[in-house]
Structure formats: C-alpha cells, structure tokens
Amino acid sequence: MSDRLVLALDIGGTNARGEVLDVRLGAPLVRADLPTPEQDGEATIATIESLCRLLLAGLSETDRARVQAVGLAVPGIIDAETGVVRLASNLGWSDEPVAARLSALLGLEVVLHHDVTAAGLAEHRLGAGAGAPDLLAVFIGTGMAALVVTGGEVVSGGLHQAGEIGHMPVEQGGRPCPCGQTGCLEMYASARAIGRAYGAVTGDVSATSLDVVTALGTDPRADAVWSEAMDWLAHGLLGPITLLSPVRIVLGGGLSASGAVLVDALRTRLDALSHVAAVPEIVTASLGQRAGVLGSGLATFAAIERTQLV
C-alpha cells in the first residue's frame, strides 16, 4: 500500500480543502482549496469535482496512476457504508448519494467520512489528543460537532451518528436551525453564530467571530456577544462531560484560533457550573486546518487496507 495515493478532502461550510497524500501523511504532493457554495447542493458537488480535478492536474501522469481513492470528509448526518449524506444543511444536501455521484464523475472510488470524525481522528492519533484514552474533540466552525473516544476507541454509535453535539437542543423553542430543529447549540455558540450576533448589534453583516475576538476589551458589544456565546458553549458541553467523563477536551475548528481566550473562558464557566463532573483538561487542537484533510487521509487508507479498493 506504500505506493498508493489518495485525494484527501475536507469540505466545510466555508472552504473546501484538498491534498494528495501518501500513506506517511507527510507533506502533500499537491494542495488546493476552493470556496464552498452556501446551502447549494448541486453547486457543492460541482465544487468538489473541480477540487479533485485541480489536485489531479498537479500530478505527473505516473502519480495520477497511483491515486486509488478519494477520501471525502463532510459535515452532517452521513451513512458511510452507502455513501449517502442524510443531512448536511450547510451544504444543501438531503438524502444525497454523494459518493456514487462523485465516483461516476471522477472514475475513482469515493469513501465518505464525517468531517469532525476525520479531524478528531487526526488530533487523536497525531495531534493534541494523542495519549488521551478518553477524549472529547469539539470542532467549532460554521457548525459544531464532536469526536468521542473512550478506552482509546472512537465511538461511532449504534446508528453511526455519535458526536452531533451542535444539534443538541439547549433552549426549548429557541432559534430555528437549518436542520429543522430549534434551539440547537450551534445556533448560539458556533463561529458563524458568534459572527452573526456581532453583526446584528453592529450593523456589519460581514462580521465574523474573529472580529469579535479582536474587539474584546475595546468594544462592549463584542464583550457581550462573546460572553453569551461562552455561556451557551459551557452549558452545552456540561452534559457530555458529565456523561462521558473525558480526561481531555480538544477544541478545534475556526474558533479555536482564539486560543487562550476561548480555553480560559470555557474553563472558568465549566468550573462554576459543574458540581458533579470533574472538569477535564482543555486544550486547543494542534493540527490546524490540516486536521480534517489528514483525518480523511487516515480513514481512507484504512478503508483501502480493509477492502483493497482498486
């Protein structure tokens, strides 16, 4: 398997990233990225196809012949066995046979992965979660989801949907979520939600969570938006912490770029809220934006080894 290559993709709500990787998962042979269309399923399929063709175009003819599969990490509710995305509201997919459609377009086997499972797997094996047998890796970006590791094993759940922490309702009758529920955690504490909340009070519709973090301490409106979001985040995480008792929480995704500002705010609130569960160590992810791509590569090479994809 050492001579094989994969196209490892991580499709987020904002950006679609891809790398051509060998089994060592070192520096990519080729790297490319494209913006992700917002809630447009057909445009997202076209974007992924274009991204794959960009990656293939950067390879020599010899290396193109070594590509065995596409690893496709996407958000939402997925059925990895059938390659169907049951729901990815941020990408505009509902019961979409994404793997089969892309395989037909590209002439390559497409292996579907959950984006956070992939990124969490990379952090667990290679990054900030290494050495922690019981881990909660929470990725906060356009949406929110988590990887759960217990006893050193990734928990997928009996219905293969474990970790959808962003869609845990935290407020009865709360804000409507694109998933169809109301009061989901990601509507209050995701990077997108924080940016939108700041935009609502400043009038800047392009405001982002980074703008909020940058303005902390100088703009009371940013302070208030951040404080409310951190309250919701701690409230949402207290249940999983109490249930699972992880030894470490790894915070990843775009919001983790705020570093100690995020870790300290969450730690302070969890210490105040929790009267039963021990509050675990909290760290930020160490693999950055490559986590999802590396995890997609890891999981795809594992699938090749299991099934001998050709």
Side-chain angles (χ1 to χ4, degrees), residues 41-159:
E42 290 304 307
T44 301
I45 291 283
T47 295
I48 296 170
E49 181 189 4
S50 296
L51 180 59
C52 289
R53 296 200 185 282
L54 277 174
L55 294 171
L56 290 168
L59 295 172
S60 67
E61 185 176 347
T62 300
D63 283 340
R64 280 198 295 273
R66 297 167 58 200
V67 175
Q68 296 295 298
V70 178
L72 181 62
V74 301
I77 307 298
I78 71 166
D79 185 335
E81 292 184 3
T82 64
V84 173
V85 178
R86 297 300 178 195
L87 178 66
S89 52
N90 290 327
L91 301 181
W93 288 334
S94 178
D95 290 325
E96 190 67 49
V98 171
R101 290 189 61 186
L102 286 167
S103 182
L105 290 168
L106 297 166
L108 289 166
E109 189 78 24
V110 176
V111 186
L112 191 64
H113 314 291
H114 190 281
D115 64 339
V116 166
T117 300
L121 177 65
E123 288 290 346
H124 174 52
R125 298 272 185 87
L126 308 171
D134 296 275
L135 174 73
L136 188 64
V138 182
F139 290 81
I140 310 170
T142 304
M144 290 180 65
L147 176 82
V148 179
V149 177
T150 62
E153 298 293 328
V154 173
V155 177
S156 61
L159 300 177

Side-chain angles (χ1 to χ4, degrees), residues 39-301:
Q39 297 181 8
D40 186 334
E42 290 304 307
T44 301
I45 291 283
T47 295
I48 296 170
E49 181 189 4
S50 296
L51 180 59
C52 289
R53 296 200 185 282
L54 277 174
L55 294 171
L56 290 168
L59 295 172
S60 67
E61 185 176 347
T62 300
D63 283 340
R64 280 198 295 273
R66 297 167 58 200
V67 175
Q68 296 295 298
V70 178
L72 181 62
V74 301
I77 307 298
I78 71 166
D79 185 335
E81 292 184 3
T82 64
V84 173
V85 178
R86 297 300 178 195
L87 178 66
S89 52
N90 290 327
L91 301 181
W93 288 334
S94 178
D95 290 325
E96 190 67 49
V98 171
R101 290 189 61 186
L102 286 167
S103 182
L105 290 168
L106 297 166
L108 289 166
E109 189 78 24
V110 176
V111 186
L112 191 64
H113 314 291
H114 190 281
D115 64 339
V116 166
T117 300
L121 177 65
E123 288 290 346
H124 174 52
R125 298 272 185 87
L126 308 171
D134 296 275
L135 174 73
L136 188 64
V138 182
F139 290 81
I140 310 170
T142 304
M144 290 180 65
L147 176 82
V148 179
V149 177
T150 62
E153 298 293 328
V154 173
V155 177
S156 61
L159 300 177
H160 309 291
Q161 295 179 7
E164 286 294 337
I165 194 170
H167 294 292
M168 291 193 325
V170 293
E171 183 178 29
Q172 186 173 7
R175 298 172 188 170
C177 179
C179 77
Q181 297 179 164
T182 60
C184 291
L185 178 59
E186 72 176 46
M187 300 309 297
Y188 300 86
S190 67
R192 173 181 282 181
I194 293 170
R196 285 179 172 173
Y198 191 49
V201 296
T202 63
D204 180 3
V205 296
S206 65
T208 68
S209 59
L210 177 60
D211 295 327
V212 176
V213 173
T214 301
L216 290 176
T218 62
D219 183 349
R221 297 170 300 180
D223 293 342
V225 166
W226 182 258
S227 181
E228 182 179 8
M230 293 301 100
D231 287 346
W232 282 114
L233 182 59
H235 174 65
L237 290 180
L238 183 59
I241 289 170
T242 304
L243 179 66
L244 300 169
S245 190
V247 298
R248 189 180 305 163
I249 293 176
V250 175
L251 299 174
L255 198 65
S256 69
S258 53
V261 173
L262 172 62
V263 171
D264 293 346
L266 181 58
R267 178 88 204 191
T268 297
R269 285 162 174 78
L270 285 173
D271 283 340
L273 285 174
S274 182
H275 298 284
V276 175
V279 178
E281 176 188 19
I282 305 172
V283 300
T284 53
S286 63
L287 298 176
Q289 294 182 342
R290 288 198 75 202
V293 170
L294 287 171
S296 180
L298 270 171
T300 303
F301 277 116

